[in-house]
Amino acid sequence: KNSPKLVVDGTDLNTYSTGKGEDWADGGEEDSGDAFPFFPIVALNRIDASRLLIATKRIYIGTDDVSGALKDTIAFTDVSSANFDDDTSAVSFGSVPNPNLLLVGAGDALYLSTTAAPGSLVQLKGYKGGKITAVPIRPDSAQVFYVADGTTVWRTVDAGVNWENIGESLAGVGFNQVRAIQFVSKDGLNALLV
């Protein structure tokens, strides 16, 4: 009862109906048409940690500053143009050159927004890998992204136009599943951790 209300584009998600006469916040089960499941991905912007993102079959970005004291209501806006075919499996939000940069993996589809504005997510058709497990953005670039797809690692240096499989040698050193990757940049060291 002490949780803040989550409001998306004017709709109070605490009373979000499942279409079965039950509210999801009260233990109702999600049906296939709903866009807000019980287990969303929650992430903070890498550049501005007061910006909150909730990812499901849609992407919601907080319009309120979430730092500081607990608020009664946290407002969100929907940046998706439609429900994804699969639940979101990975997100990365913000880079130094562009704090609004958003990369989203849902199933084997990859989506990008450079503005984080409503309806701004577009599918990157050039990505040909498998089901996405991680999508780090190089923090000092708005052009360099990495994608893990469970078996290998992909890289783009042109914001998703072209992709290179940089993980082909992982199987030779004992990797049989790539579930998480992270790009680290500190004190002149740039490294992709697999």
Short mmCIF file of all heavy atoms in Angstrom, two decimals, residues 7-12 76:
data_model
loop_
_atom_site.label_atom_id
_atom_site.label_comp_id
_atom_site.label_asym_id
_atom_site.label_seq_id
_atom_site.Cartn_x
_atom_site.Cartn_y
_atom_site.Cartn_z
N VAL A 7 2.08 5.75 -13.34
CA VAL A 7 1.13 6.32 -14.28
C VAL A 7 1.79 6.44 -15.64
O VAL A 7 2.83 7.08 -15.78
CB VAL A 7 0.64 7.71 -13.80
CG1 VAL A 7 -0.32 8.32 -14.81
CG2 VAL A 7 -0.01 7.59 -12.43
N VAL A 8 1.22 5.78 -16.66
CA VAL A 8 1.74 5.83 -18.02
C VAL A 8 0.75 6.57 -18.89
O VAL A 8 -0.39 6.13 -19.07
CB VAL A 8 1.99 4.42 -18.60
CG1 VAL A 8 2.43 4.51 -20.05
CG2 VAL A 8 3.02 3.68 -17.77
N ASP A 9 1.19 7.69 -19.43
CA ASP A 9 0.35 8.50 -20.32
C ASP A 9 -1.06 8.66 -19.76
O ASP A 9 -2.06 8.52 -20.45
CB ASP A 9 0.30 7.89 -21.73
CG ASP A 9 1.66 7.88 -22.40
OD1 ASP A 9 2.50 8.76 -22.08
OD2 ASP A 9 1.89 7.01 -23.25
N GLY A 10 -1.14 8.93 -18.44
CA GLY A 10 -2.43 9.18 -17.80
C GLY A 10 -3.14 7.95 -17.25
O GLY A 10 -4.12 8.07 -16.55
N THR A 11 -2.65 6.73 -17.56
CA THR A 11 -3.28 5.50 -17.07
C THR A 11 -2.57 5.02 -15.81
O THR A 11 -1.36 4.81 -15.82
CB THR A 11 -3.22 4.39 -18.14
OG1 THR A 11 -3.89 4.85 -19.30
CG2 THR A 11 -3.85 3.11 -17.63
N ASP A 12 -3.30 4.86 -14.73
CA ASP A 12 -2.75 4.38 -13.47
C ASP A 12 -2.53 2.87 -13.58
O ASP A 12 -3.48 2.10 -13.64
CB ASP A 12 -3.73 4.70 -12.34
CG ASP A 12 -3.23 4.27 -10.98
OD1 ASP A 12 -2.21 3.56 -10.89
OD2 ASP A 12 -3.87 4.64 -9.99
N PHE A 76 5.13 8.01 -16.35
CA PHE A 76 5.90 7.41 -17.43
C PHE A 76 5.26 7.77 -18.75
O PHE A 76 4.06 8.03 -18.83
CB PHE A 76 5.93 5.88 -17.30
CG PHE A 76 6.78 5.37 -16.18
CD1 PHE A 76 6.27 5.34 -14.89
CD2 PHE A 76 8.07 4.95 -16.41
CE1 PHE A 76 7.05 4.87 -13.85
CE2 PHE A 76 8.85 4.48 -15.37
CZ PHE A 76 8.34 4.45 -14.09
#
